[in-house]
Amino acid sequence: GEATTAELGLTHLAGSSDDDARFEVHTLGVDATVTRFLGASNPLTWQSELYLQDRAEAGEAPNHPWGAYSLLDYRLSPRWALGGRLDYVEPVDLIAAARARPADTAFGGYLTFHQSEWARWRLQYRHTDFAAGGDDNTVFLQGTVSIGVHTHALQ
């Protein structure tokens, strides 16, 4: 519809976890984004992504770590946005018996200032609980700037 958009994506990756040339590691990813315009300049976006790996070597027990994130972003005005994000990732290099928790989990929030069409600033907080034990609190200040030609050559 005019007020809502939806996108769905699918990804497949293949690679090797060691020095041989076999592609024994396969990753399947699914992503979805839904945007609903609550006003002319107030989109609410929900974005999520899920990855599942098959890391089983011949003769070994199945190993299928997975990870996902989901975020919600609300544009308060043409220049300001608020958002929050949840993450869940099972580590591939930490055996289950050594884990204090089943996975790394994180949650956080951010405030974004869109300075222009080509520049934005984001202040973000994230709390992470690690599968190996322990936790971390992080504050980010991120600047994103686009440089170069901004119109397509066919326009």
Side-chain angles (χ1 to χ4, degrees):
E2 290 184 27
T4 304
T5 63
E7 298 176 17
L8 185 63
L10 188 63
T11 304
H12 177 262
L13 304 168
S16 181
S17 62
D18 50 29
D19 291 335
D20 66 16
R22 286 184 45 242
F23 291 131
E24 70 273 3
V25 178
H26 295 273
T27 303
L28 179 64
V30 177
D31 61 272
T33 302
V34 176
T35 301
R36 172 80 176 171
F37 283 85
L38 304 177
S41 62
N42 304 101
L44 176 65
T45 301
W46 177 36
Q47 183 176 347
S48 295
E49 197 162 1
L50 169 74
Y51 279 95
L52 173 65
Q53 281 194 344
D54 178 7
R55 299 183 66 83
E57 292 278 345
E60 292 183 8
N63 184 6
H64 302 291
W66 66 279
Y69 79 86
S70 188
L71 71 82
L72 201 59
D73 183 272
Y74 179 63
R75 195 81 171 248
L76 299 165
S77 70
R79 290 195 164 213
W80 292 95
L82 281 174
R85 177 176 166 140
L86 299 170
D87 294 86
Y88 179 96
V89 178
E90 291 182 345
V92 298
D93 58 350
L94 185 63
I95 59 172
R99 296 181 187 174
R101 300 178 181 93
D104 291 351
T105 56
F107 63 88
Y110 59 84
L111 175 66
T112 305
F113 173 66
H114 295 268
Q115 182 176 346
S116 71
E117 185 179 353
W118 300 282
R120 78 169 188 206
W121 298 92
R122 177 172 286 167
L123 180 63
Q124 181 176 347
Y125 165 78
R126 181 178 66 204
H127 174 80
T128 305
D129 290 315
F130 296 105
D135 61 359
D136 185 50
N137 293 295
T138 310
V139 175
F140 300 93
L141 177 60
Q142 177 189 51
T144 305
V145 179
S146 297
I147 58 174
V149 177
H150 297 296
T151 57
H152 192 275
L154 297 177
Q155 292 179 337

